[in-house]
Amino acid sequence: MKTLVIAEKPDMGRTIAAVIEPKAKNNRSYLEGERYIITWAIGHLLGLAEPDAYDEKYKKWNFGDLPIMPEKFKIVPNPRTKDQLKTIGELAKRCEAIVNACDAGREGQYIFALIQQQLKLTQPVKRLWISDLTAESIAKGFAGLHDSSEFENLTMAARARSEADWLVGMNASRAFTTRHRTLLSVGRVQTPVLALIYDRQKEIENFDSLTYYEVKADFEQEGRKYTGTWQGERLTDGEKAAAIADKVRGKTGRIAEYEVKDTREYPYKLYDLTLLQREANAKYGYSAKKTLDIAQALYEKHKVITYPRTSSNYVTEQNIDGMHKTLHMLKSTPYKDLAEGGNPRIVHVGNKAVCNPSRVEDHHAILPTLRRPGTLSKEEQHIYDLVVRRFLSHFYPPAEYKQHTLLTEVESETFKTNVKELLSLGWKVCLPGDDGSGGKTGGRAKKQEDEEEAEELVSEPFSIDRDAPVNCTDALAKEKATQPPKAYTEGTLLKAMESAGKQLENEELRDAMKDAGLGTPATRAATIERLKKVGYITMQGKKITVTQKGRTAVELIRHAGVELLTSPEMTGAWERRLHQISKGEAEREKFMENVKRFTVSIIDKVRKQPKADASLFEPGEAEKGGGRKRGAKASGKAAGEGGGRTDGKAKAARRPASAGSGGGLMPLAPCPREGCGGQLIEGKRGYGCTHFKQGCGFVIWKEFSGKQISHAMLKTLLEKGQTQLLTFKRDEGDYKARISLADRSTGKLDVQRAEV
């Protein structure tokens, strides 16, 4: 009898087979050798069943049927991948043992657990737990397979996460949707993330800018020039500011204070997934999902980086030797010069900035592997470059500076100057050439974020004689204005999700909050994408803005009195509890009881909530106007406070309900999108799929080419693909045509003229 190896995806399975069964026969959906049969899942082959699997009545969304609380959760195969699930079951019958080789993380554990449950696999199971897919790591992993019992707590945490999300998401979404007659998606993680974005946008809109004045003076002493900023209470009087500038201009002053100290800057931390996503968003504008997909390809397909879905910025003692070998490998790549300049003695088990086993959970930081990269796409090269440069930077000494701080006094007025003199670039030689963080030539007047004081970065020696006079060669008063908080980008939102919305700049505190963030590194990108798909947020370049529907959703949830649904800190506490379950430090049953009680409280509170006016969900002019108006500044009140927001001078549109609206949420027909399994229900302006939460975007709009799509026409479109002949009126003359369903995956319609 053989051993069945179940990988998470085909590429992983084939990579594993090449190491443990190099002569295996390829059978399309599996490979078979002398000792092992290697097959794979294709992501999630199974998922939790929809409510109607428990009772037919749940096909209709009815508030009176809530809450829905399964005694035992059912799982169902994904229709699109059921053949692969069947293959795994048939192969398992021929094997006496199984190796779980799915991704070494919570989701990978869950994928295997559902397969094992559905197929009723009883064979003993071993766990392959590796951080990269190099041949060396795979061979080492199979030589030291873990017993599956070591990961039982992780499986329980994965089940708890999935079932908690189902309970809250299914019940809250149905409650708010049926109460307010608009499809509203609510979730344990997505809703507090939406609330973060909403609150930031409200801060920006309600921000009152304050005009103030800054006085800067140019000084010279024996050929040395520098600039100082006037010190005192914030100036709000322009005449007073101009008077100070006039007072000191052309006068002689003295050095009141002069302090010089040596400073060092150490390399930035090695990447975890969230940090990598933040950097890629800031530098290349990549979305969190795009960065994750690229990193996964670099890991899974190209095998040039280690497991990317990690929350750690450190490595263990076992990784140090591999890091030294990788440094040597990089000497024969385009990174030759940087690799040869690195000092392997700097990276050792005593370097806590790199090697800190207590801070490594399931996986160490993202590292380049020993495999030389082949042909990478431009985007893959960008992400690989970030990982390699961050890795190499730790083989270099700190950057060294002299920090000069001086106070210059002229006519009893004091000006402060900060000069940062570069002594040695150290690790900063590893930064990309176009990076503004202290490149090879240095730069002038680099502004520190959130500080009014400018810092001048110079690469030539800087010195001032504290006893010699200085001349004020010029002075100028400049009008400035206080700035509102910055809108979230995907990068800054990921940072906020990591710390459950707390503005924590202290790195130690941020690290402590990592297991209490919103979601996990592996799920945060999907949460952001989910908010886009359901129409709650939209992108304006890199900036994230809340749509009118998103605003109303947050306000309805808060007004219902279920603040926990929008509370990042409380949801973060739930994530911490899931983490504790995975470590055996908390009970799954108690967590689920709390989730059930919370779900019941949501239903009770929504039941008492007044129904929202349909106009509150209508998009504002900026949303409807496409790219031309997306930059319009929202200046009115949010819906629910002032009866609709205004964008510039244009008020939010108030459309009347479409003909035939109010038909309820009775399923009208199965969704025609292949493999979906959802039902079409009637919304205000169209017929959409109940599986919108799983990402189905199928919708047939009620109005098309001047015709109203009735229930009967909808049925004909779905069954026959086209309507009967209709008369279309046009200025150039009437004509006969049929409306056809052009795309069964999206609901796109077309007009087909009848032949004359």
Side-chain angles (χ1 to χ4, degrees), residues 709-726:
I709 306 296
S710 66
H711 287 197
M713 289 169 71
L714 174 71
K715 184 178 179 182
T716 305
L717 278 168
L718 296 173
E719 291 178 355
K720 299 181 180 178
Q722 61 183 17
T723 65
Q724 70 276 24
L725 275 175
L726 304 169

Side-chain angles (χ1 to χ4, degrees), residues 209-450:
S209 184
L210 173 69
T211 299
Y212 68 98
Y213 297 85
E214 182 182 75
V215 181
K216 283 188 173 285
D218 294 331
F219 299 105
E220 184 175 358
Q221 183 197 71
E222 298 174 0
R224 165 64 66 189
K225 296 179 180 179
Y226 65 93
T227 301
T229 304
W230 182 80
Q231 301 296 290
E233 290 186 3
R234 178 173 278 175
L235 294 166
T236 56
D237 184 335
E239 291 184 5
K240 184 177 179 182
I244 293 172
D246 292 341
K247 179 181 177 183
V248 300
R249 190 183 298 111
K251 302 294 174 59
T252 300
R254 69 181 187 91
I255 304 298
E257 289 183 29
Y258 182 29
E259 181 185 4
V260 183
K261 62 179 181 181
D262 292 329
T263 61
R264 291 182 167 191
E265 289 185 17
Y266 290 87
Y268 304 133
K269 290 189 296 187
L270 291 167
Y271 284 123
D272 61 8
L273 176 59
T274 303
L275 189 54
L276 180 62
Q277 288 169 318
R278 283 166 49 191
E279 296 264 338
N281 181 256
K283 189 168 181 59
Y284 301 115
Y286 293 168
S287 69
K289 181 182 185 301
K290 183 170 185 174
T291 299
L292 174 57
D293 289 345
I294 295 169
Q296 193 69 20
L298 291 172
Y299 161 69
E300 193 177 299
K301 179 182 175 184
H302 300 287
K303 301 161 190 70
V304 293
I305 67 170
T306 58
Y307 185 70
R309 298 169 186 249
T310 176
S311 60
S312 176
N313 304 103
Y314 303 93
V315 303
T316 66
E317 295 95 331
Q318 289 74 38
N319 301 118
I320 299 299
D321 182 55
M323 290 179 74
H324 289 168
K325 289 177 179 175
T326 300
L327 175 69
H328 182 73
M329 179 277 292
L330 289 170
K331 292 178 181 178
S332 57
T333 71
Y335 297 96
K336 176 177 183 290
D337 292 343
L338 288 177
E340 288 182 344
N343 181 358
R345 289 192 296 274
I346 294 176
V347 174
H348 54 82
V349 294
N351 182 347
K352 292 300 180 187
V354 176
C355 183
N356 195 338
S358 66
R359 306 280 279 278
V360 177
E361 292 286 349
D362 297 329
H363 295 284
H364 56 71
I366 303 172
L367 304 171
T369 67
L370 283 168
R371 175 171 288 206
R372 290 176 182 81
T375 303
L376 302 179
S377 70
K378 182 181 177 182
E379 293 169 341
E380 288 169 341
Q381 182 59 47
H382 282 161
I383 301 301
Y384 182 67
D385 185 69
L386 288 176
V387 173
V388 170
R389 288 179 182 275
R390 183 62 58 94
F391 167 82
L392 287 171
S393 70
H394 285 272
F395 289 91
Y396 280 80
E400 296 181 359
Y401 300 89
K402 274 191 186 297
Q403 189 77 44
H404 302 261
T405 306
L406 57 152
L407 297 179
T408 306
E409 194 174 281
V410 186
E411 297 292 308
S412 301
E413 304 292 347
T414 302
F415 295 81
K416 186 175 183 180
T417 302
N418 292 303
V419 173
K420 193 174 181 180
E421 178 191 343
L422 175 66
L423 301 178
S424 170
L425 269 175
W427 65 272
K428 290 194 173 183
V429 298
C430 297
L431 292 171
D434 59 348
D435 193 292
S437 306
K440 294 182 180 179
T441 59
R444 290 194 77 243
K446 181 194 167 193
K447 277 243 176 168
Q448 293 178 314
E449 196 169 339
D450 299 325

Side-chain angles (χ1 to χ4, degrees), residues 1 94 154 236 342 507 594:
M1 295 286 279
R94 297 167 46 202
L154 186 62
T236 56
E507 285 296 335
N594 288 336

